[in-house]
Amino acid sequence: MPFFERYLSVWVGLAIIAGVALGLAVPPLFQAVAAFEYAHVNLAVAVFIWVMVYPMMIQIDFTAIKKVGQNPRGLLLTLAINWLIKPFTMAALGWLFFKVLFAGWVDPQTATEYIAGMILLGVAPCTAMVFVWSHLTKGDANYTLVQVSVNDIIMVFAFAPIAALLLGVSDITVPWDTLLLSVVLYVVLPLIAGFLTRQMLVAKGGEAKVERFVAALKPISVMGLLATVVLLFGFQAETILAKPMAIVLIAIPLLIQTYGIFVIAYWAARRLRLKHNVAGPACLIGTSNFFELAVAVAISLFGLHSGAALATVVGVLVEVPVMLTLVAIVNRTSHWFEENPA
């Protein structure tokens, strides 16, 4: 493994520190970048995510996608985790911590809003960053694309009713502009670019040419990840400084949820005898979140400065560091799946 990737967690830690420091030192700069958004999707962050996702898309072989149907267990695992387990465990943990364990530290109204924000995170499975996690764990690019695509289709129909059920709100409006723009920016456009690039590379030098090109892009992809971390923490630097206790309280159940869901999914992947390059992405999709959608709905339902909006923002802040630890676990346990059939 190259030196830069071997110490990725160190670089991410430095990026977090740099983001908070820069956000406090030059807040007007980050405010200007934060304002560069449409439909709650920050376009600067979108560019860096695009840089991360693009190499994964080049590896997708459309002629092999039809083979995904020969082994549907990975897809079924992802769907079960995302829509039958994750939203309900998130709601349960939110209630346990903010209505019972942390009740003495948080007033009832704020506690209710924190729970709402957590629920919105739980009902919104990841669309973009999962391609990055799959890439870092040497996941099957074709299978990952199918998993994300099916999840996006289900999200169109299931997000509002499940969120309404758990929130007790009947008039939830799905921000279609946020949902559709995110899918176009993070899936459709890089997929088209990756397909065209792959066709050109295969024509010039076959699969070997594709592999060399993707390897050359990997450092750029990692730089995109670090730049994303700097921006996300820079945007929230003042909030981190102003509300450290609230952030810690929200982060605790979110961390338990993330690691708990991963353990359930990874255990199930072994029981289902999935290949490692399918098991890793299948589990990581279920543990990461579509934070743009969650933030947009939280703001529209509860307001920009609500506890629900803060909870979704905390979800954004903990996502990258936590997911990198899970990526490391997936990579270090590949031998658990060596006996599984191809």
Side-chain angles (χ1 to χ4, degrees), residues 159-226:
F159 177 86
I162 294 178
L165 171 67
L166 295 175
L167 292 174
V169 179
S170 59
D171 57 346
I172 288 182
T173 301
V174 176
W176 295 108
D177 51 355
T178 301
L179 179 58
L180 295 177
L181 179 62
S182 296
V183 171
V184 170
L185 280 179
Y186 301 148
V187 180
V188 177
L189 290 181
L191 182 62
I192 293 173
F195 171 76
L196 295 176
T197 303
R198 181 182 178 83
Q199 294 295 101
M200 180 184 68
L201 292 172
V202 169
K204 290 184 176 181
E207 286 295 330
K209 184 80 170 179
V210 174
E211 292 176 7
R212 289 195 299 270
F213 186 72
V214 171
L217 286 179
K218 207 157 191 179
I220 300 174
S221 180
V222 173
M223 290 301 297
L225 173 62
L226 298 180

Side-chain angles (χ1 to χ4, degrees), residues 113-180:
E113 292 183 358
Y114 287 167
I115 296 169
M118 291 177 59
I119 288 171
L120 291 172
L121 285 170
V123 185
C126 185
T127 291
M129 292 297 289
V130 67
F131 289 110
V132 180
W133 314 136
S134 180
H135 188 56
L136 292 174
T137 56
K138 298 180 176 63
D140 184 324
N142 304 314
Y143 211 104
T144 302
L145 175 64
V146 173
Q147 288 172 312
V148 171
S149 301
V150 173
N151 264 300
D152 286 346
I153 293 170
I154 292 176
M155 189 169 8
V156 169
F157 300 98
F159 177 86
I162 294 178
L165 171 67
L166 295 175
L167 292 174
V169 179
S170 59
D171 57 346
I172 288 182
T173 301
V174 176
W176 295 108
D177 51 355
T178 301
L179 179 58
L180 295 177

Side-chain angles (χ1 to χ4, degrees), residues 81 85-86 89 256-266 286-287:
I81 293 293
I85 298 176
K86 181 181 175 184
T89 55
I256 293 173
Q257 162 80 1
T258 302
Y259 287 112
I261 287 295
F262 176 80
V263 168
I264 293 170
Y266 215 48
T287 51

